Amino acid sequence: VQLQASGGGLVQAGGSLRLSCAASVRTFSSYAMGWFRQAPGKEREFVAAISWSGGSTYYADSVKGRFTISRDNNKNTVYLQMSSLKPEDTAVYYCAAGGRNDAIVVVTTAFTVKYWGKGTQVTVSS
């Protein structure tokens, strides 16, 4: 499974960005997907996860109500819509996938993620 994230950039506080992650796998609908982020000098942290069907989602408390994860299984793509951005959201954002048919919990902890994409930088200015 190869993952390619895009959509990062520079935005002012209060603004919005949408990240996309395209997966190169035929059975994308069998994979739970997630987003993580890593700020300079900090550990990689969980942001959001979505089940293979899109029926279940989980969010870190720090982004709940501001970020929305979604997926389009016809396009092999998962999205992260980020709104009301804060300077503390500044980080490199990584797309993540579990193994085929893994439960969503696998993509809520960096230790259990099976596949990582290259990150995309999000910078929020104050």
Side-chain angles (χ1 to χ4, degrees):
V1 178
Q2 292 186 324
L3 306 172
Q4 181 64 53
S6 61
L10 173 64
V11 63
Q12 288 189 330
S16 299
L17 276 177
R18 189 177 80 156
L19 305 184
S20 299
C21 174
S24 61
V25 61
R26 282 195 292 177
T27 55
F28 177 71
S29 60
S30 298
Y31 292 82
M33 302 294 295
W35 289 94
F36 288 73
R37 66 186 182 187
Q38 188 167 18
K42 295 188 176 182
E43 293 187 353
R44 193 170 296 189
E45 65 173 3
F46 168 72
V47 175
I50 188 167
S51 62
W52 58 269
S53 69
S56 295
T57 56
Y58 290 120
Y59 296 92
D61 288 342
S62 58
V63 307
K64 205 171 290 183
R66 300 188 298 120
F67 291 10
T68 301
I69 189 171
S70 62
R71 66 190 296 159
D72 185 339
N73 287 341
N74 291 322
K75 295 183 178 179
N76 281 21
T77 301
V78 62
Y79 305 97
L80 185 68
Q81 178 67 47
M82 304 184 294
S83 302
S84 302
L85 282 162
K86 305 175 181 179
E88 51 263 44
D89 293 319
T90 295
V92 177
Y93 283 71
Y94 296 91
C95 180
R100 186 174 178 182
N101 296 325
D102 276 350
I104 187 174
V105 67
V106 169
V107 287
T108 61
T109 305
F111 181 75
T112 53
V113 166
K114 299 293 177 59
Y115 304 100
W116 292 101
K118 293 184 180 179
T120 184
Q121 177 71 47
V122 172
T123 303
V124 184
S125 63
S126 57

